[in-house]
Amino acid sequence: MDNGASSYRRFLDGDDNGFIEIIKDYKDGLILYINNFTRNIFTAEDLAEDTFVKIVTRKPRFSGKSSFKTWLYAIGRNVALDYLRRHSVVEVSTDELQQIREEEESLEAQYIKKEDNIQLHKAIRNLIPQYRQVIWLVYFEDFSNIEVAAVMKKSVRSVETLLYRAKQSLKTELNKEGFEYEKL
Amino acid sequence: MRNYKDMADAVFRRRDEYVASVKRKKRIALNVSLSLCACTLAVMGAFGIWKLGVVEPDPTIIGTKPQHIVETTEPTLQSLPANATSEGNHTEETAQLISGNRTEPQSSQSTQTDVIRPIVKPTIPFLPSTPIGPVLPVRPTTPAPPVVIIPTVTVPVVTDPVEGSTTEKPVVGEPDVPPTSGDADARPTRPAPMVTDPTEGDVAETVCPTMATDTARPDDATNPPVVQPTWIPQEPTTAVCNTYPPTMPATQAPCGPEQSPPTEPPQTENDCPPTSPNALTFVVRDSHGNGVKGAEFALYSGGYCSDTAVSDSNGYFTLYLPKNHLNAYVVQLSAPNGYEIDTHIVYIGKTPSSDYLFINPKA
């Protein structure tokens, strides 16, 4: 799989198929990442689409200082934060909440694929958004602390501290449910 | 959840919509900017035209008056003073009005005797202007075409010298304004003179030489004046003045003692009627103190002969100064047979006085 930079370069040269490849490769991971902010899989999907539209219309320059996935997730994070800034309170009905749970579990099974990671992902739903983001980026997207710091626009030291506190919180949650995750 | 193809289609559809909206916004902005530029240029053009004063408000509209039009006090013929219509001044001012050389109207009181002003030679030939007629009804608004203005020439005829009443016989035109004395310093120069030979004997019946003369006035009494009168023939039916031109004497007569003029100026015949009752009475005597009869004298003012007189049996004669005389002087034109002419020139100042005695010794 291309890391996305070459596809984006082809898109900038006028090949729309390059961006279709980007959507194909990074759509699910971006939705699940944005879902950590919105806690609504449908809203996260819409915000992911807005993220792609923003890149397509404005065609921002990718300098290559980080990976394309880090750059793309940083744009998605800004879009999600803008959405949350505009919609501080999102009312979700009970039926819609059930549907959201089903869609989210479907996407987890499609994207995570590993049963342990799926259980871990269900465990982080109860964490605060910042802990969910850093655990998702580190344990599900395989980002380094530097990349996480670039996406979350924090320093590496802050990311390390945030990651340590997120693990401690996740351990507590897993212990409550009788799981003991050896990687933590 | 949608698959990546559906999301890609939605992304590119929204991109197309976004590009179309941007193009539409650019087109609208371009139209608005062009409209603003056009309006700005129109406003600037209108302001510039207004500042340049190209567009004038309609003066026919009641209550509107152009601000940039300055009302001038350029005199017209109708607005000239009444005394400026005599002595041929009206022709000179008319010429100045037509030729545009006129500077300012001069009142009759402003010109004094000793002031010499340059005389602008008009381009229009003029007729003799003494005595003059009324102002021609020339419209001042007409352009200045090369029009030959023929003024009304009225020659006064003395009907009763004692009373001084005169009647005017219009020669050309219809006079409706009586002539008055005018500025003598504003006389135009004369065109090509028609000089008659002064030695001819029939000059006694010529008209009063009131036209311009190219006279070289002497500076003092030692230099007798060389009078070269200019003559313009007129109808013999006009009024007859005193004899002229003079026969200048070859020798200079000695100056005699001064003698005060008589209280009652004698009346002379064939006198040009004065335009102003500023009479000067002189006396001419021989070397023995007796009055000399038949001596002819002339009064010049502004280079023109304004009056002539012949001494009576007692030697008295009266000359009449014009109202605004300029550089007036009295010279003797001729002496009776057996007498020598007095070649002295008596200048008349601002305060005229006839305290000079002409001496014509016997030959």
Side-chain angles (χ1 to χ4, degrees):
Chain A
M1 184 182 77
D2 195 335
N3 58 2
S6 59
S7 300
Y8 186 68
R9 193 176 302 111
R10 287 193 293 117
F11 165 73
L12 293 178
D13 293 338
D15 187 6
D16 291 341
N17 293 326
F19 202 79
I20 292 175
E21 293 176 359
I22 292 172
I23 294 174
K24 178 182 178 181
D25 295 337
Y26 299 103
K27 176 180 72 71
D28 294 338
L30 184 62
I31 290 173
L32 290 175
Y33 171 68
I34 293 174
N35 188 38
N36 294 322
F37 296 94
T38 61
R39 293 190 177 184
N40 188 332
I41 195 64
F42 299 110
T43 303
E45 185 181 9
D46 294 337
L47 293 178
E49 181 178 329
D50 293 342
T51 303
F52 289 124
V53 170
K54 188 175 182 179
I55 295 173
V56 165
T57 55
R58 300 187 181 182
K59 296 180 179 179
R61 187 174 61 89
F62 175 62
S63 61
K65 293 181 180 179
S66 62
S67 65
F68 181 80
K69 189 175 183 178
T70 304
W71 181 72
L72 177 64
Y73 276 35
I75 296 174
R77 176 180 178 272
N78 294 332
V79 172
L81 292 177
D82 290 341
Y83 173 80
L84 293 176
R85 194 176 296 117
R86 292 192 303 267
H87 306 83
S88 58
V89 178
V90 179
E91 295 181 355
V92 179
S93 61
T94 306
D95 297 337
E96 189 176 12
L97 183 60
Q98 183 62 32
Q99 189 176 2
I100 290 172
R101 285 290 178 89
E102 292 176 357
E103 290 292 336
E104 187 175 355
E105 290 175 358
S106 172
L107 185 60
E108 286 175 351
Q110 181 181 351
Y111 186 73
I112 298 175
K113 295 180 181 177
K114 293 181 180 179
E115 185 62 25
D116 294 340
N117 290 340
I118 292 174
Q119 296 298 325
L120 180 62
H121 186 263
K122 289 179 180 178
I124 65 176
R125 289 175 183 169
N126 298 323
L127 300 178
I128 62 175
Q130 283 189 340
Y131 291 169
R132 292 205 304 265
Q133 286 184 64
V134 67
I135 289 176
W136 172 261
L137 294 176
V138 171
Y139 293 100
F140 293 92
E141 297 291 346
D142 294 331
F143 281 11
S144 64
N145 293 341
I146 299 175
E147 292 176 339
V148 170
V151 171
M152 297 182 67
K153 296 184 179 180
K154 293 181 179 295
S155 65
V156 179
R157 186 68 179 174
S158 298
V159 169
E160 290 176 353
T161 304
L162 189 62
L163 181 60
Y164 174 77
R165 292 177 180 174
K167 286 180 181 180
Q168 297 299 322
S169 178
L170 182 58
K171 277 184 180 180
T172 305
E173 291 295 327
L174 289 175
N175 290 331
K176 288 181 181 178
E177 295 182 2
F179 292 100
E180 189 170 347
Y181 200 74
E182 56 187 9
K183 290 184 179 179
L184 296 178
Chain B
M1 295 292 293
R2 294 175 298 177
N3 58 12
Y4 74 96
K5 291 182 180 180
D6 296 337
M7 181 172 284
D9 293 340
V11 167
F12 288 116
R13 186 181 64 253
R14 292 177 62 181
R15 182 195 64 176
D16 296 340
E17 293 175 355
Y18 174 79
V19 171
S21 65
V22 168
K23 288 182 178 179
R24 185 172 60 255
K25 289 180 180 178
K26 285 184 178 179
R27 187 169 57 252
I28 293 172
L30 181 62
N31 293 334
V32 170
S33 61
L34 288 177
S35 301
L36 290 176
C37 290
C39 293
T40 304
L41 288 176
V43 170
M44 292 176 64
F47 183 74
I49 291 172
W50 177 68
K51 291 295 287 183
L52 289 176
V54 174
V55 179
E56 297 179 356
D58 190 1
T60 59
I61 301 175
I62 298 175
T64 61
K65 183 178 182 181
Q67 298 297 327
H68 64 281
I69 296 178
V70 179
E71 292 184 357
T72 61
T73 58
E74 183 68 19
T76 60
L77 286 178
Q78 284 73 10
S79 64
L80 288 175
N83 56 3
T85 59
S86 65
E87 296 294 327
N89 289 335
H90 70 291
T91 56
E92 191 267 344
E93 292 182 0
T94 304
Q96 289 180 351
L97 282 174
I98 294 174
S99 61
N101 293 330
R102 194 173 191 276
T103 56
E104 60 178 0
Q106 297 188 7
S107 62
S108 60
Q109 300 299 329
S110 62
T111 58
Q112 297 300 329
T113 306
D114 296 334
V115 178
I116 299 176
R117 297 187 178 182
I119 299 174
V120 180
K121 185 176 183 180
T123 58
I124 302 175
F126 288 94
L127 294 177
S129 57
T130 303
I132 62 161
V135 178
L136 290 178
V138 179
R139 294 180 61 187
T141 56
T142 57
V147 178
V148 177
I149 299 176
I150 302 175
T152 301
V153 177
T154 59
V155 178
V157 178
V158 177
T159 57
D160 189 359
V162 178
E163 296 178 359
S165 62
T166 61
T167 58
E168 294 178 355
K169 179 182 180 181
V171 177
V172 179
E174 296 178 0
D176 52 356
V177 176
T180 59
S181 61
D183 295 337
D185 57 344
R187 289 180 190 277
T189 57
R190 297 295 174 181
M194 300 173 59
V195 180
T196 59
D197 189 0
T199 59
E200 293 180 2
D202 55 348
V203 296
E205 295 299 323
T206 55
V207 295
C208 179
T210 56
M211 71 294 293
T213 58
D214 298 330
T215 304
R217 291 192 291 105
D219 295 334
D220 52 10
T222 58
N223 299 323
V226 180
V227 180
Q228 297 176 357
T230 303
W231 296 88
I232 296 177
Q234 295 186 359
E235 293 295 330
T237 57
T238 56
V240 177
C241 295
N242 286 325
T243 321
Y244 195 82
T247 302
M248 300 307 296
T251 60
Q252 180 179 354
C255 296
E258 295 182 356
Q259 182 177 354
S260 60
T263 55
E264 290 295 332
Q267 299 298 328
T268 60
E269 295 179 352
N270 297 330
D271 244 347
C272 287
T275 56
S276 175
N278 194 3
L280 292 175
T281 302
F282 296 87
V283 62
V284 53
R285 300 182 185 276
D286 58 4
S287 57
H288 300 287
N290 300 320
V292 178
K293 179 183 179 183
E296 301 173 16
F297 296 87
L299 173 64
Y300 285 85
S301 177
Y304 297 91
C305 174
S306 60
D307 195 8
T308 59
V310 179
S311 60
D312 57 4
S313 60
N314 295 325
Y316 291 101
F317 62 97
T318 302
L319 295 171
Y320 296 91
L321 277 171
K323 185 176 182 181
N324 296 310
H325 58 89
L326 176 66
N327 298 328
Y329 58 93
V330 179
V331 295
Q332 185 174 1
L333 302 178
S334 66
N337 293 330
Y339 293 90
E340 294 181 356
I341 192 171
D342 191 348
T343 58
H344 283 84
I345 301 173
V346 179
Y347 287 97
I348 309 300
K350 292 182 179 179
T351 305
S353 63
S354 48
D355 54 353
Y356 185 78
L357 173 64
F358 287 91
I359 301 298
N360 289 169
K362 291 185 178 179

